[in-house]
């Protein structure tokens, strides 16, 4: 077993970095490792137009401390009021590569999301004609549908009809969590890809309830049964080019997670590539990590692959119990995934 591995610099095709102090805290964690990050637009208020995405990108770059490999790519938030002109303006902005479809009410800051896909068909047709990518949070919002079934229902109710209606639309089914999600992506042809998070590869819903209720394992889509995790592991590590790295790292403060109504979101940017490396090692598939982390996403987005490399070292280290928010006076830190526990791999950076 080698003590180091080298791979082409990876990209994170799905991440939340928020704004202000939290942004300043989390962006350096991504910038230490990733080339491109695909920044989700669910701020309050959401990032809906090209000019706002430019300002937001500047804020992210300013927090990255001049890392010269780091390139935030932006996604715009679709609402019922998004116009075809908004899409055409986005298409002229080289830093915008997609539009994010949040079904209204599906998750954190999705209240301004789309109430019905049928209402935005002209906008989706324009997205398809530009070659921009539709990034989908794939869960139905009907409160009568069991929370564990919302992704599978979304495939039948929304994704399959949408693909029939606009087959040329290029879709990333974000953070898939189910066997049905894997099967849909495999059968949907070259215009559909999917991101897979570290938490859905590492954990099943039992982990959310082991010895008590564990709010730091709560995210949306929610962790599923073990059998779904096995399908995701096979998809991520099996070499299929439709599946690629997207952490869905979603920082919330400790108090907003450890609450009577805790927020959805798992923070993983501090150890993202290391977590995926563990998964691939456990599956005896370290030789396939590079394609999943560094090639498949770039190829799907029709962007050049990165050319520089990163090195991972096999060494035990302990994840901090929490990360203090930069410039915050009160003690309300971000609790990362694996807080206080040990990791087997570590990215080698100039500091180490
Ligand atoms: O767990 C989640 N957190 N899922 C999402 O879709 C949004 C994200 C967030 O922004 O916190
Ligand atoms: Zn997300």
């Amino acid at each position: 077993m080698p003590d180091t591995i080298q791979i082409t610099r990876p990209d994170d095709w799905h991440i939340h970095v928020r704004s202000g102090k939290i942004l300043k805290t989390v962006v350096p964690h991504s910038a230490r490792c990733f080339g491109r990050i695909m920044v989700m637009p669910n701020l309050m208020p959401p990032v809906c137009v090209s000019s706002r995405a430019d300002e937001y990108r500047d804020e992210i770059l300013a927090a990255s401390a001049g890392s010269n490999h780091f390139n935030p790519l932006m996604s715009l938030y679709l609402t019922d009021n998004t116009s075809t002109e908004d899409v055409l303006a986005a298409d002229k902005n080289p830093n915008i590569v997609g539009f994010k479809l949040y079904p209204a009410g599906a998750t954190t800051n999705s209240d301004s999301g789309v109430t019905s896909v049928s209402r935005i068909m002209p906008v989706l047709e324009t997205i398809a004609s530009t070659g921009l990518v539709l990034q989908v949070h794939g869960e139905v919002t009907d409160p009568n549908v069991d929370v564990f079934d919302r992704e599978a229902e979304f495939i039948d109710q929304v994704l399959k009809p949408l693909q029939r209606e606009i087959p040329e639309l290029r879709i990333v089914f974000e953070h898939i969590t189910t066997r049905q999600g894997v099967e849909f992506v495999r059968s949907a042809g070259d215009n559909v890809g999917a991101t897979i998070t570290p938490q859905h590869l590492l954990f099943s819903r039992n982990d959310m309830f082991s010895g008590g209720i564990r709010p730091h394992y709560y995210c949306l889509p929610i962790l599923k049964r073990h059998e779904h995790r096995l399908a995701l592991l096979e998809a991520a590590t099996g070499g299929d080019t439709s599946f690629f790295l997207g952490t869905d790292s979603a920082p919330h403060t400790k108090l907003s997670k450890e609450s009577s109504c805790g927020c959805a979101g798992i923070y993983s940017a501090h150890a993202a590539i290391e977590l995926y490396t563990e998964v691939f090692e456990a599956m005896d598939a370290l030789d396939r990590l590079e394609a999943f982390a560094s090639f498949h996403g770039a190829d799907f987005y029709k962007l050049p692959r990165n050319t520089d490399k990163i090195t991972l070292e096999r060494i035990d280290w302990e994840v901090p119990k929490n990360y203090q928010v930069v410039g915050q006076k009160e003690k309300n830190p971000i609790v990362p995934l694996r807080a206080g526990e040990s990791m087997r791999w570590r990215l080698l950076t100039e500091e180490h």
Side-chain angles (χ1 to χ4, degrees), residues 14-16 18 40 42 100 102 107 137 174-175 197 220-221 247-250:
H14 184 126
I15 189 168
H16 303 264
R18 316 298 186 208
M40 291 298 122
N42 61 332
K100 180 73 188 277
Y102 286 106
T107 186
H137 183 110
E174 299 291 348
H175 42 54
T197 76
L220 288 171
T247 59
D248 199 18
S249 177

Side-chain angles (χ1 to χ4, degrees), residues 295-310:
F295 297 161
H296 297 169
D299 295 352
F300 185 86
Y301 277 94
K302 302 191 172 160
L303 293 167
R305 294 176 179 181
N306 296 322
T307 50
D308 57 335
K309 306 268 181 199
I310 62 160

Side-chain angles (χ1 to χ4, degrees), residues 24-42:
K24 288 197 179 75
T25 309
V26 300
V27 163
H29 290 170
S30 293
R32 81 196 163 103
C33 173
F34 291 107
R36 285 149 302 198
I37 60 167
M38 183 71 250
V39 180
M40 291 298 122
N42 61 332

Side-chain angles (χ1 to χ4, degrees), residues 14 74 80 113 116 133 139 174 286 309 343:
H14 184 126
M74 311 308 286
D80 286 351
S116 159
V133 168
E139 291 191 286
E174 299 291 348
L286 275 179
K309 306 268 181 199
M343 298 282 308

